[in-house]
Amino acid sequence: MTRAAAARLGAWALVVGTLAFLYLPLVPPVLFSLRIPGESAGGGATLAAYAALWRNPILTEAMRTSALLAVLTAVVTTPIALLAAMGVRELSAPRVVLVLLLVPLFIPGVSMGLAEAFFFRLLGIAPSLVTILIVHVLWALPFAFLIILTAMAGFDIVYLEAAYVLGAGPARAFLDVELPLIRTGILGAGTFSLILSLNETVRTSLVQGPLNTVQTYIWSTYLQVGLSPELYAIMSLLIGLTLVLIFILPALARARPRPASEER
Amino acid sequence: MPEPLLSLHEVTKRFGSTVVADRVSFAVHRGEFFTLLGPSGSGKSTILRMIAGLERPDRGRVLISGRDMADVPPWRRGLGMVFQQYAVFPHMTVADNVGYGLRVRRLPRDVIEARVAELLALVGLAGMARKNVTVLSGGEQQRVALARALAIEPALLLLDEPLGALDEKIRRDMQTELKEIQRKTGTTFVYVTHDQEEALTMSDRIAVFHQGVCVQCDAPEVLFRRPRTRFVAGFFRGSNLVEGDVLDHTDTQLRVRIGERSLVVGRPPGLVPRGSRVAVAIRAENVRIGSAARRCSVQLDAVVSAIVYRGTTVDHIVELRDGQRLAATSTRREIDAPGARTPCGFDPEDVVVLED
């Protein structure tokens, strides 16, 4: 074996090792979710735990809440992030403004959640879907902003200038020219917001009130009952869903919009 | 004189502490091919962007058809503009790019289609309508941009170094074509370039810019033969800059000594006191050496210091007795080797006394 081939093999071994380190912990829950209760490991497999999920009214309610929150978070966060990014560009805001917009990323979740819960109490706002939504939007906003800002950095202003001179006002030029060219970033920001909302636990648990999301359900069930095939099943579903979202949505975004005249 | 289509009055623009346009004034008439020429950083692009409304002058006025443009945004100026980096919309087809200005103006679809076809034929892209612009070559993309700008039939087309990103050969072809399109459409062109040859070939008039100042604005031949400053003379390749002493002057003429000879030449405006030194420009193709020099009315003793072969022409660099150097360009080699003594001659009408 040549030195170069050995080096390549070594590099691949590192890559595979790292991936194994990252993903192996996710495997046992999937295996355990398929185990027939009462039987020892190596016995038959069953989807019974998955079927049971749908017969649990608290969990199905939590799923509905989670799905609604995830969609709302994406729908609310993305336009705000877009406007923030446009504002930063328009004002050519100093670096400190950028940093201030990103700092919430680094504030510990518990601190942020407690601060938000306390803030709601001061304002006399009772915990509800709206309080959870606000917390999720605040959590997702810096990420979404960063993604859109990055997409905008790759957009050359000269396209807008060309549209202006051709007679398009700022709104028309934005819709016709900039939006289609930064749509990957916008879809990415939306996807990211969706996933962040779906997976958020700590902040949510502090403002959830009577509502449960899937995450808070898992967390509280674990604390009260401990692990069960049902929990393994729901965890496996969430992991699978996240992977699907991460791989499918960017692929959708990459599909270029077909030029209008080809559709006629 | 009819009212100019475009006029700038004392337009000034600063970026931070740099003055990119310093009290710039000029007027462009209908149907003219007007070029802003200067090295990079001379302010010519900024001036074009102020005409388009993409930059705001700090001071001064931009008038289009006599109307002050101060409060008119770019989308209401009805101009065309072609950018150096093409700026064709990458997510649209060729036809959608060309028809964009017409769609914004809500023209009926059949009118747009007819106009787009007409323009694609004009720029030599007939049959390309359905293509995605990103698969086109640079030259083709710039044709799309040109067709797009002309689609709305603007009275004034602004071109910001439109050929700057293209290969030498394509650039030459496009120069001829642009000029042809300008003639066919009768559109007024305001053209920005740093390429002196491009400016000379295409323009009706050229304004030369240096550090934000319009230093001379004239027809190409006047600019080439009668530069007014050292900068303009030096900007066009093939100009000799030498110094002379003013011996005497009248209102219209100067008697100047260059080397060991004195000659009578035209006088520039401004103060030129007796005994002062002036800069003088003589084009290299007007300087003769060898036997041809004997037919010139001014002859100086010189030594050939270098011979540069350029294919169609040969440059002979000669040194005068006072140490000043001159280049003499001819179509064939006049002297065999450097080091030879030769007469060096020129005629007073080819000598231009500069203002600075």
Side-chain angles (χ1 to χ4, degrees), chain B residues 167-182:
Chain B
D167 294 338
E168 177 70 14
K169 165 103 178 62
I170 300 169
R171 195 157 68 221
R172 300 248 169 269
D173 295 346
M174 290 277 290
Q175 284 173 11
T176 326
E177 243 178 272
L178 272 176
K179 186 74 191 161
E180 183 65 17
I181 286 168
Q182 193 250 345

Side-chain angles (χ1 to χ4, degrees), chain A residues 4-104:
Chain A
R8 268 185 75 80
L9 203 68
W12 272 112
L14 258 174
V15 170
V16 171
T18 309
L19 287 175
F21 181 71
L22 282 171
Y23 285 94
L24 273 182
L26 301 180
V27 174
V30 178
L31 294 179
F32 277 77
S33 72
L34 298 171
R35 212 165 66 164
I36 296 166
E39 278 194 30
S40 61
T46 173
L47 290 174
Y50 289 88
L53 295 179
W54 308 105
R55 290 191 298 272
N56 178 343
I58 302 174
L59 184 55
T60 50
E61 183 59 36
M63 284 178 185
R64 265 196 292 277
T65 308
S66 274
L68 183 62
L69 274 169
V71 171
L72 285 176
T73 304
V75 168
V76 173
T77 309
T78 313
I80 298 178
L82 177 62
L83 286 174
M86 288 172 75
V88 163
R89 180 178 67 188
E90 199 62 33
L91 303 171
S92 44
R95 191 160 285 271
V96 62
V97 174
L98 279 182
V99 172
L100 283 177
L101 276 163
L102 299 178
V103 157

